[in-house]
Amino acid sequence: MDKVNLQKLEALNNQHVISVVQEAIQLCKPAKVTVITDSKEDIAYLRNLAINNGEEKKLKMEGHTIHFDGYYDQARDKNNTRYLLSKDVDWGIKVNSIEKDKGLKEIYSYLDDSMAGKEMLVRFFSLGPTNSLFSLKALQITDSAYVAHSEDLLYRQGYEEFKKLNGSSDFFFFLHSAGRLENGVSADIDKRRIYIDLEENRVYSVNNQYAGNSLGLKKLALRLAIKKANEEGWLAEHMFIMGVHGPNDRVTYFTGAFPSACGKTSTAMIPGQTIVGDDIAYLNKINGGVRAVNVESGIFGIIRNVNPQDDPLIYQALTSPRELIFSNVLINDGIPYWLGMGKDIPNKGVNHSEEWFKGKKDKDGNEIDCSHKNARFTIKLKALKNIDPKADDPAGVPIKAVIYGGRDSDTTVPIAESFTWEHGVFLGVIVESETTSATIGVQGVRKHNPMANLDFVSVPLGTYIENHFKFKTNLKEVPKIYAVNYFLKDENGNFLTGKAYNKLWILWAEGRVNGEYKTIETPIGRIPKYEDLKEIAKRELKIDYTEEEYVKVFSIKVKKYLEKMERMSKIFENVEMPAAFIEELKAQNERLRETRTKFGEDTISPFKFLDK
Ligand code: GTP
Ligand code: SPV
Ligand code: MN
C-alpha cells in the first residue's frame, strides 16, 4: 500500500480496520491497494476503474454501463453459502454450514493469491442512513470494481462514519474476490464459496460476481444483522418500506416482506405511492412506536417486465441519462434490451451467454432468452420521481402496517388482516412461495419461507420468530399485520389479479389502519368487504370491480387452507417454536375445521360469512 492510501486508512484511527486490511493483503496478495474515501474523486476513480478493467462497458446513453456475470453465476448460490460453525447446531431449519476450521482453510486456499496482478479496493459504508441510531457500519474489500461501484449506488458512504467508531471493532467486514477471470467473468465457478463467520461478523466470498453472492452489504450483511438484531431486540428484515397515500394527503408508512422476486419492488412502486426502500429494512422501537429505515439507498431490481405501462417510473429512470448499471440484459449497438420491455427485441447481440442470436442454446440444450430472467438494474433511489421525502431520515419512518406476501397460486386470498399481532406473526411464519429465478435451481416449487427471510436466518428459527412476538412489548401503538398474495391463478394457469389490483389491497389496508372500512371475519383473518374494494377501484383505478371477480379470489378455500396447515404442522413437528406460534397454529386449524363442518363446503363465498 502506498503512503497516500495508508494515510487514508490511518486517518480512521482504528487498529481493527488496519489489521483486517493487512490480513486481507497478506492473503490475497494484490498488485495494488486503493482505499476509497467518501470524496468525489475517489468515487469517480472507482467508476472509471470498472470501465478500464472491462467489468463494465459504456452504453450509448450517458452514464449507462453493462456488466455481465458468468452464465452460471446469475443468481444467489444457496448451496455454496455456508455458516462457519464450530459445532453442529439445530436451528429447526436446514442450516447450510461447514466446520469452521475446515471452512476457513478451504476458503483461504481459494482467496490465497486471488488478487495477484489485480487491484484491491477498500471501501467503507453505512448500512442505513448516516448519523442514525439504526445504522451499522460495514467494511468491504473486493477486487471487483463492479462490486465496489454497485455498492456505491446502493449504499450510503461510510468513510466519515467509520471515524465515529472511535477505534471500536463494531463493524461488519466483507472480503470478496471475483477470482480468476476469463472474458471478464469468474472462471472457477466450481470453487464459488460464500462463508459466513457469525462470531467475527465477517463474510468471505470468492469466485463469483452476481451481486447477491458478491456484494457484502446486501444479503450477506442481512445475515449478520439478523443475528445482531436478535441479540438486541430489533428486527432485520427482507422488507420494502413505502409511504401509502390515502385520502386528504394522508401518508401511512408500510413495510412488507416478500420472498425474492415476489413483489417488494413492485409493491413499493405502486403508482401514486412513495418509496423508502425495496429490499432490506431495520425496524426499531422508538418512543412506543415502530420505526424503520432502508438499509440501502439504491435499487438492485429485477428488470424483466419493466415496461412503460407496468413500471413507468423505473422505465423512465432506465431510459434517461444517469449513473446506472444494467446486468445480464441483451446489448445491441450499445442499447439494452430485456424480456418484457414492451419493445421489439433484436435477434442478435451480446448477453450473459456472450455472442447471442435468437434460438441459441446452452450446453444443456436449453434455449437462451435474450436476457436472463433474473437480469437486473442498479440505480440510486433518488433516480426515482416517487422517492419518499423521508427516505434518508436518520430517525426512520413510523410503521403502521406490516405485510407478508408469498407466491401462492391456489390457496391464500389477495389480502387478509390478522386478528392480533400474534396472529400476524403467525401469518408471516406460514408464508410459502413457489421458487423463482432469483436463486439457482428449479423454479415453481412450493417452499416454506417464514417472513420471506428464510434464506438469511442466522439464528434458530424459534428464536428468530420469538423476537417478532416479543417486538410488540412496550409498543403503545401496535402495527396491523396483513398477509397478501398477488399470484393466485385460475384453472388455466392465468393470474387472477393483475398487477394494477395491488393498489386496491394496499389502499384498503391503509384505510383500515386509519380506522376506516368494516371487515368480514373469516377463519383465516379479516378480509375486505366487496363494496369497499369496489369504491376504491372506482376512485383509484377507474374500473368497475365486479362481484364475480371478488368472489373468485376472496372465497375461502377451506380445504386448501387445511392442507396448508397440515404442511405447516409437519414442518414444525420437531422444531422448537415459541408457544405463541403453536397456539396460533392450533387456533387457525380449529377455526378452519369448524368452518368446514359448519358450511360443509371446500370453498366458501365471502358473502356467506356475512350472514353468520
Ligand atoms: P428481490 O429483488 O429478488 O428481492 O425481489 P422483489 O420482491 O423486489 O420482486 P419484484 O417486485 O421485482 O417482482 C419480481 C417479479 O414478479 C417481477 O418480474 C414482476 O413482474 C413480478 N410481479 C410483481 N408483482 C406482481 C403481481 O402483482 N402480479 C404478477 N403476476 N407478477 C408480479
Ligand atoms: C434477492 O434475491 O432477494 C435479491 C437479489 O434481492 S440479491 O440481493 O442479489 O440476492
Ligand atoms: Mn431481495
Side-chain angles (χ1 to χ4, degrees):
M1 194 175 349
D2 67 17
K3 220 170 141 193
V4 176
N5 283 288
L6 188 61
Q7 273 169 1
K8 287 181 182 173
L9 267 197
E10 283 173 347
L12 296 173
N13 275 320
N14 194 312
Q15 200 46 50
H16 300 285
V17 169
I18 299 205
S19 32
V20 292
V21 174
Q22 270 168 353
E23 278 168 36
I25 295 173
Q26 271 163 19
L27 179 62
C28 306
K29 305 179 190 65
K32 184 180 175 192
V33 180
T34 304
V35 176
I36 306 289
T37 68
D38 301 346
S39 78
K40 279 205 177 78
E41 298 73 39
D42 283 10
I43 310 288
Y45 173 82
L46 197 73
R47 218 176 280 140
N48 289 330
L49 186 65
I51 306 272
N52 294 338
N53 74 12
E55 282 188 272
E56 290 175 39
K57 290 194 177 56
K58 283 191 180 184
L59 297 177
K60 266 213 176 121
M61 196 163 286
E62 181 64 33
H64 292 200
T65 58
I66 172 73
H67 163 81
F68 292 115
D69 301 304
Y71 189 74
Y72 297 100
D73 188 23
Q74 296 286 317
R76 274 187 291 114
D77 178 0
K78 295 210 292 183
N79 283 339
N80 287 305
T81 305
R82 303 188 181 113
Y83 293 105
L84 295 163
L85 299 175
S86 351
K87 54 178 192 310
D88 279 347
V89 293
D90 178 7
W91 287 357
I93 47 176
K94 185 175 168 277
V95 184
N96 206 0
S97 70
I98 181 165
E99 201 252 311
K100 189 159 167 174
D101 291 340
K102 193 173 149 207
L104 280 175
K105 202 166 151 202
E106 184 194 12
I107 202 144
Y108 284 167
S109 78
Y110 296 156
L111 283 164
D112 189 9
D113 243 1
S114 60
M115 299 189 189
K118 297 204 269 183
E119 183 168 347
M120 173 188 275
L121 301 162
V122 183
R123 294 224 56 184
F124 303 90
F125 293 100
S126 173
L127 290 159
T130 51
N131 293 312
S132 166
L133 284 174
F134 288 80
S135 300
L136 302 175
K137 292 167 184 62
L139 165 56
Q140 171 84 61
I141 296 184
T142 177
D143 60 7
S144 164
Y146 159 72
V147 166
H149 180 208
S150 295
E151 286 182 333
D152 195 63
L153 291 166
L154 295 175
Y155 302 93
R156 286 119 174 156
Q157 293 163 3
Y159 178 78
E160 293 305 321
E161 287 278 300
F162 260 71
K163 291 185 180 166
K164 297 181 201 156
L165 276 173
N166 288 321
S168 125
S169 63
D170 191 13
F171 58 86
F172 292 166
F173 169 47
F174 305 100
L175 176 57
H176 166 257
S177 170
R180 193 170 59 85
L181 300 178
E182 255 171 33
N183 297 325
V185 301
S186 297
D188 300 315
I189 284 299
D190 55 321
K191 294 186 180 126
R192 171 173 54 204
R193 298 289 182 275
I194 299 123
Y195 284 179
I196 302 150
D197 188 341
L198 293 169
E199 289 166 3
E200 301 286 332
N201 276 325
R202 287 181 187 197
V203 184
Y204 306 89
S205 173
V206 68
N207 293 318
N208 64 70
Q209 291 169 300
Y210 173 72
N213 300 317
S214 62
L215 267 65
L217 279 82
K218 216 170 195 340
K219 298 309 196 305
L220 309 179
L222 176 57
R223 293 164 183 260
L224 300 181
I226 287 175
K227 173 158 179 280
K228 200 172 165 63
N230 252 67
E231 287 165 357
E232 298 173 358
W234 49 279
L235 302 176
E237 299 299 312
H238 194 198
M239 284 179 167
F240 72 75
I241 307 170
M242 70 189 291
V244 183
H245 292 242
N248 306 320
D249 296 328
R250 185 172 71 201
V251 185
T252 310
Y253 289 96
F254 280 45
T255 186
F258 295 65
S260 303
C262 291
K264 287 181 299 301
T265 311
S266 82
T267 305
M269 291 299 295
I270 290 175
Q273 322 306 313
T274 48
I275 182 167
V276 177
D278 83 323
D279 201 41
I280 305 170
Y282 294 163
L283 284 73
N284 252 300
K285 290 185 281 190
I286 294 180
N287 296 333
V290 176
R291 297 189 79 94
V293 296
N294 179 12
V295 170
E296 313 185 283
S297 58
I299 298 190
F300 178 58
I302 297 173
I303 199 164
R304 185 185 183 190
N305 295 335
V306 171
N307 58 57
Q309 280 71 46
D310 297 325
D311 278 297
L313 297 181
I314 295 181
Y315 191 84
Q316 153 74 24
L318 300 187
T319 49
S320 48
R322 75 185 65 259
E323 191 176 358
L324 144 57
I325 309 170
F326 291 95
S327 47
N328 308 319
V329 299
L330 175 70
I331 305 298
N332 176 300
D333 197 21
I335 296 170
Y337 298 89
W338 57 87
L339 291 167
M341 73 184 299
K343 232 165 89 169
D344 286 342
I345 309 283
N347 49 27
K348 61 179 179 15
V350 176
N351 73 0
H352 57 294
S353 74
E354 303 181 9
E355 284 296 327
W356 176 85
F357 50 89
K358 202 172 163 53
K360 184 179 175 183
K361 296 209 166 107
D362 68 12
K363 275 202 304 234
D364 304 319
N366 302 314
E367 185 162 342
I368 305 171
D369 287 324
C370 70
S371 63
H372 193 272
K373 290 193 175 69
N374 193 35
R376 293 190 180 236
F377 60 87
T378 306
I379 51 169
K380 291 186 178 171
L381 258 178
K382 63 176 192 228
L384 297 175
K385 293 196 173 118
N386 60 332
I387 184 171
D388 189 90
K390 295 200 174 112
D392 277 316
D393 195 327
V397 294
I399 299 300
K400 302 293 159 104
V402 175
I403 295 174
Y404 292 105
R407 182 179 279 263
D408 170 15
S409 52
D410 62 13
T411 307
T412 55
V413 293
I415 187 161
E417 184 182 285
S418 76
F419 298 121
T420 57
W421 174 263
E422 288 73 16
H423 181 233
V425 171
F426 166 78
L427 293 178
V429 179
I430 65 170
V431 163
E432 291 177 297
S433 185
E434 289 143 31
T435 50
T436 66
S437 53
T439 53
I440 294 170
V442 189
Q443 293 173 37
V445 183
R446 174 148 42 199
K447 289 259 170 78
H448 173 224
N449 194 344
M451 270 60 192
N453 217 0
L454 181 67
D455 287 3
F456 318 111
V457 168
S458 52
V459 293
L461 183 65
T463 314
Y464 170 73
I465 300 305
E466 179 66 18
N467 193 37
H468 281 74
F469 281 121
K470 281 199 307 217
F471 197 64
K472 179 188 163 188
T473 318
N474 297 333
L475 280 181
K476 283 185 217 132
E477 202 181 346
V478 181
K480 283 190 186 295
I481 301 181
Y482 296 88
V484 309
N485 176 27
Y486 303 155
F487 300 96
L488 276 177
K489 287 182 177 171
D490 66 13
E491 303 71 28
N492 305 317
N494 299 315
F495 288 114
L496 277 166
T497 56
K499 220 165 143 179
Y501 283 57
N502 299 348
K503 188 169 185 176
L504 282 186
W505 324 139
I506 301 300
L507 283 177
W508 174 77
E510 198 273 345
R512 283 289 302 155
V513 169
N514 290 288
E516 289 161 23
Y517 309 132
K518 292 224 160 49
T519 61
I520 301 177
E521 202 147 308
T522 81
I524 53 93
R526 303 184 179 117
I527 62 169
K529 295 183 84 170
Y530 169 64
E531 56 265 33
D532 294 328
L533 291 180
K534 185 180 160 72
E535 180 268 321
I536 302 170
K538 188 103 218 155
R539 170 161 51 92
E540 298 287 339
L541 303 177
K542 315 272 177 274
I543 57 166
D544 281 316
Y545 186 57
T546 67
E547 206 171 289
E548 196 190 342
E549 282 177 280
Y550 168 77
V551 170
K552 182 112 191 151
V553 295
F554 279 100
S555 286
I556 304 298
K557 300 178 187 70
V558 187
K559 183 160 174 265
K560 287 274 178 201
Y561 268 107
L562 277 165
E563 284 167 13
K564 181 177 166 83
M565 292 311 129
E566 226 163 85
R567 289 195 294 276
M568 293 304 132
S569 300
K570 220 183 200 120
I571 286 170
F572 291 107
E573 213 169 34
N574 297 311
V575 182
E576 215 173 300
M577 289 297 281
F581 173 80
I582 298 164
E583 274 166 37
E584 290 297 336
L585 179 60
K586 196 166 153 247
Q588 177 98 329
N589 246 319
E590 275 166 15
R591 283 194 300 270
L592 283 162
R593 286 206 197 101
E594 276 166 21
T595 308
R596 185 150 74 169
T597 312
K598 182 174 166 196
F599 292 92
E601 285 175 296
D602 289 342
T603 301
I604 303 161
S605 158
F607 291 112
K608 294 203 172 162
F609 293 99
L610 277 177
D611 313 329
K612 255 203 321 195

